[in-house]
Amino acid sequence: MKLRKKNVVLFVLVAGLAAGSVTLHHASASEEIAETEKLETERKQIKSIYTNSYQNKVEARLETAKSTGNYTEEAMLIEQNPYGTNTLSLYVYFETEENAKVSYTVSAADKDIEDFSAVPEGEEEYQTEHEFQVIGLVPDQKNTVIFTITTESGEERSYTYECKMGSLVGEEESQLEVTEDNTQGEEIGNGLYVILGNDSDGSDFMYYYDKNGVIRGEIPLIGYRSHRLLFQNGLMYYSISQTKIAAVNTLGKVEKIYDTGKYELHHDYVFDDDGNLLVLATDTEKDSVEDQIIRIDTSTGEITCVLDLADLFGDYKAQCATEEGEELDWMHINTIQWLGEGTVLLSSRETSSIFKISDLYDTPQVDYIIGEDSFWEGSGYEELLLTKDESSGTFSGLGGQHSITYEESTDLEENEYYIYMFNNNFGVSESNPDYNWSQIEGIETSIKGGDTSYFYQYKVNEKTGEYTLAKSFEVPFSSYVSSAQKYDGNIVIDSGFQGLFGEYDSEGNLLRQYKMDLATKYIYRVYKYDFEGFYFAQE
């Protein structure tokens, strides 16, 4: 049964805290306003969104509307982006007379854009009250959303809702260029590519793109960038500035905001066994940077410094140098992986090394280092190095690696595991300028003139104290930033300095590659998420 019914819509098209909503929009109708003033206005709006007062006002307004209105499947309460956390989203609420499930499909006026279909989180169960977030709307298009309601008795009804979406707030592309497409079917599965940091001089955002390169989400940030998404107890955690992390619920409401105070976060964060956040940080009251780990108690917001790497590598730090008046970037930790029971893996770009640290919360100690022997020679830490096993073939070591990931496998023996990463294959250490990186065969030493980076996967054997190269393949060169992620049998690679990201099969064959215009220098990371249990129901 196809019905077309005009829904009850509460759109607030201008900024107004008194009204309880801010809908971000371009100032295209106000060209007399200078670009700097427009940017300042955007930033103020975004900053106001990430406050408890704003979020609570929106929630109270929606609760009042729900309690005073009679919202049914024929007259739904629909509002665009009320909480301000995704400009390409809708909030939906209504009741059905009998238990039912709901799904939706978003169709753009441009028929070259494929439909976007989903079952919202919670709507896999039959119920009479329905409240969820629709994502995936396309900017600068008339969007048609078809809601399909399936009752417990098996009856199916559809309702159509139309809305004209305005322009994006940011300057990102609505459609990315697909530079290569070698797919022969369904090699690329569901999920959304999340662009984590296309740093710009304007407002900052996190973006979602589908497998065709069509934008499906624009998430405003106060500043800086997000580094990854974490999910716990129905909340999505992501950084929104250099000193703040937000926890957002499935409807888009910001439930919690954590302020790290004197610590500036950078590069990465992870949950520990108790659900608290471990965050890579800089203590702004010290003269060195990117060498701390702090813990955020997600219940209380309490901040604790759990590791200053100078406590473990003080002798090496004393050997490092920096330009007069500049802060010492002697470690540059860019990834943290939680292994459980107080143990972490850390990736250090400045030393092109991986550290395993145990007993983090009590008496931290370095279990081992994976790095170049020649780099650590004479440092006093040589005995901590694992041995490179080249019995199956020689391989070049790491050069400024990023996004290391710990991976267990039933195919491995006890005390064995994998660590995979984006090996930038770029040798530089500004705090250790006397080390000659060109002595490593195959490593690049030009920040823009290099040819090849790699996906690397090490197999680590802690019993023998050895590691070997289990898998590698070439990827577009990126001297800094970048990421690698295994996803649904494939591998997602971001070569950040080139603005290229792509999905490869497990053997390293490129399936599809996308090009994004760079706002300034690079795309920080690209990870893919299925968002099941958050935006979408679990399959």
Side-chain angles (χ1 to χ4, degrees):
M1 178 171 58
K2 285 279 187 181
L3 297 178
R4 182 175 179 126
K5 195 80 174 179
K6 184 177 180 181
N7 297 281
V8 177
V9 184
L10 299 180
F11 281 120
V12 182
L13 297 178
V14 294
L17 287 176
S21 180
V22 172
T23 298
L24 299 171
H25 60 285
H26 278 299
S28 57
S30 306
E31 294 182 359
E32 71 279 4
I33 300 176
E35 187 67 24
T36 54
E37 292 176 341
K38 181 175 82 72
L39 178 59
E40 184 179 350
T41 299
E42 285 177 2
R43 287 175 170 169
K44 285 181 179 179
Q45 289 180 337
I46 293 170
K47 191 172 183 179
S48 72
I49 284 168
Y50 289 104
T51 61
N52 290 326
S53 60
Y54 173 74
Q55 295 293 319
N56 291 337
K57 283 180 181 179
V58 173
E59 183 178 55
R61 177 173 57 76
L62 291 175
E63 288 299 318
T64 298
K66 287 159 55 179
S67 63
T68 57
N70 181 27
Y71 297 106
T72 68
E73 59 191 77
E74 295 184 342
M76 302 176 188
L77 171 60
I78 301 179
E79 183 171 338
Q80 181 185 345
N81 187 29
Y83 291 107
T85 53
N86 185 348
T87 66
L88 302 178
S89 69
L90 301 174
Y91 165 87
V92 179
Y93 175 84
F94 63 96
E95 295 180 355
T96 49
E97 292 184 358
E98 58 180 309
N99 287 328
K101 299 178 180 180
V102 180
S103 62
Y104 68 83
T105 296
V106 177
S107 299
D110 183 348
K111 297 308 177 185
D112 289 334
I113 298 175
E114 288 189 12
D115 290 350
F116 184 88
S117 299
V119 176
E121 164 60 11
E123 290 299 326
E124 70 277 20
E125 301 289 340
Y126 291 106
Q127 55 197 315
T128 58
E129 188 174 33
H130 308 273
E131 187 177 30
F132 53 85
Q133 186 176 184
V134 170
I135 74 165
L137 286 88
V138 181
D140 296 316
Q141 295 272 332
K142 183 178 78 171
N143 288 253
T144 301
V145 185
I146 299 176
F147 297 98
T148 300
I149 299 172
T150 305
T151 67
E152 201 165 16
S153 61
E155 185 180 357
E156 188 175 287
R157 299 186 291 271
S158 294
Y159 297 88
T160 300
Y161 166 75
E162 294 181 350
C163 66
K164 175 66 169 68
M165 295 297 292
S167 299
L168 295 164
V169 182
E171 301 300 324
E172 64 273 21
E173 299 148 277
S174 297
Q175 172 74 64
L176 299 181
E177 177 188 358
V178 177
T179 60
E180 286 196 50
D181 189 357
N182 303 312
T183 55
Q184 302 299 319
E186 298 300 320
E187 296 96 331
I188 295 180
N190 293 327
L192 293 171
Y193 300 105
V194 178
I195 312 299
L196 299 156
N198 187 357
D199 298 3
S200 73
D201 295 326
S203 298
D204 294 301
F205 300 87
M206 181 167 59
Y207 320 119
Y208 303 160
Y209 285 91
D210 67 20
K211 64 182 180 181
N212 298 308
V214 177
I215 195 164
R216 299 294 182 174
E218 182 191 49
I219 290 74
L221 307 174
I222 292 175
Y224 196 39
R225 66 175 82 103
S226 297
H227 299 90
R228 73 167 73 235
L229 302 180
L230 297 177
F231 300 88
Q232 181 174 257
N233 299 327
L235 298 176
M236 181 172 75
Y237 291 74
Y238 57 95
S239 52
I240 56 174
S241 76
Q242 282 190 292
T243 59
K244 288 183 172 61
I245 293 177
V248 178
N249 70 18
T250 60
L251 299 177
K253 183 195 174 189
V254 181
E255 295 279 7
K256 300 177 182 179
I257 302 166
Y258 302 99
D259 193 323
T260 58
K262 71 171 184 174
Y263 296 101
E264 290 185 347
L265 61 89
H266 64 87
H267 293 314
D268 210 3
Y269 34 78
V270 68
F271 287 127
D272 69 7
D273 290 336
D274 297 320
N276 296 315
L277 283 164
L278 286 173
V279 183
L280 301 181
T282 291
D283 185 340
T284 57
E285 296 179 356
K286 294 188 175 183
D287 61 358
S288 59
V289 298
E290 307 198 10
D291 54 4
Q292 313 279 315
I293 302 177
I294 62 172
R295 177 176 60 194
I296 303 176
D297 187 313
T298 51
S299 298
T300 66
E302 180 183 3
I303 308 294
T304 307
C305 182
V306 296
L307 181 63
D308 182 338
L309 280 166
D311 294 337
L312 298 179
F313 292 94
D315 291 342
Y316 175 72
K317 181 180 180 181
Q319 301 169 26
C320 295
T322 188
E323 295 290 334
E324 184 177 353
E326 293 194 7
E327 296 170 314
L328 178 62
D329 189 3
W330 62 289
M331 273 292 182
H332 201 101
I333 302 300
N334 60 35
T335 318
I336 180 170
Q337 290 279 285
W338 177 258
L339 276 58
E341 300 181 348
T343 302
V344 295
L345 287 177
L346 301 176
S347 168
S348 166
R349 190 203 73 190
E350 185 68 3
T351 66
S352 291
S353 300
I354 297 171
F355 309 127
K356 183 185 177 191
I357 312 292
S358 61
D359 205 14
L360 182 66
Y361 293 149
D362 294 310
T363 309
Q365 63 181 22
V366 184
D367 287 0
Y368 66 67
I369 300 172
I370 296 177
E372 282 296 313
D373 291 355
S374 58
F375 182 89
W376 291 98
E377 184 179 356
S379 68
Y381 298 87
E382 298 93 333
E383 73 280 2
L384 294 171
L385 285 163
L386 293 188
T387 300
K388 183 189 291 188
D389 177 6
E390 295 185 314
S391 58
S392 299
T394 60
F395 59 94
S396 176
L398 300 175
Q401 75 291 334
H402 283 76
S403 73
I404 68 168
T405 303
Y406 171 83
E407 181 182 56
E408 296 179 335
S409 173
T410 56
D411 296 332
L412 299 178
E413 302 294 330
E414 188 178 358
N415 298 316
E416 290 184 331
Y417 52 85
Y418 293 122
I419 303 174
Y420 70 81
M421 68 214 72
F422 187 100
N423 178 10
N424 298 73
N425 194 38
F426 176 60
V428 66
S429 182
E430 293 183 359
S431 63
N432 189 355
D434 293 334
Y435 182 72
N436 179 16
W437 285 96
S438 61
Q439 66 186 286
I440 301 174
E441 185 177 356
I443 202 164
E444 307 284 3
T445 56
S446 171
I447 191 171
K448 292 185 178 180
D451 293 322
T452 308
S453 293
Y454 295 91
F455 170 83
Y456 257 23
Q457 179 169 295
Y458 284 155
K459 182 176 73 172
V460 177
N461 187 321
E462 291 197 352
K463 184 176 181 180
T464 63
E466 297 175 320
Y467 69 97
T468 188
L469 184 61
K471 178 181 291 188
S472 73
F473 57 85
E474 295 183 359
V475 298
F477 177 69
S478 182
S479 51
Y480 290 120
V481 298
S482 308
S483 59
Q485 176 203 23
K486 290 187 179 181
Y487 180 91
D488 197 23
N490 291 335
I491 301 171
V492 178
I493 295 289
D494 163 42
S495 295
F497 252 54
Q498 296 199 42
L500 290 173
F501 68 93
E503 190 159 337
Y504 297 71
D505 68 16
S506 60
E507 300 304 313
N509 300 304
L510 179 60
L511 298 173
R512 189 174 292 173
Q513 182 172 265
Y514 311 84
K515 173 72 174 176
M516 189 173 195
D517 288 341
L518 296 177
T520 51
K521 294 180 179 179
Y522 50 73
I523 298 172
Y524 177 67
R525 287 178 180 171
V526 178
Y527 290 143
K528 194 174 184 180
Y529 298 89
D530 60 23
F531 291 103
E532 290 184 8
F534 188 72
Y535 292 130
F536 313 130
Q538 303 238 7
E539 292 186 357

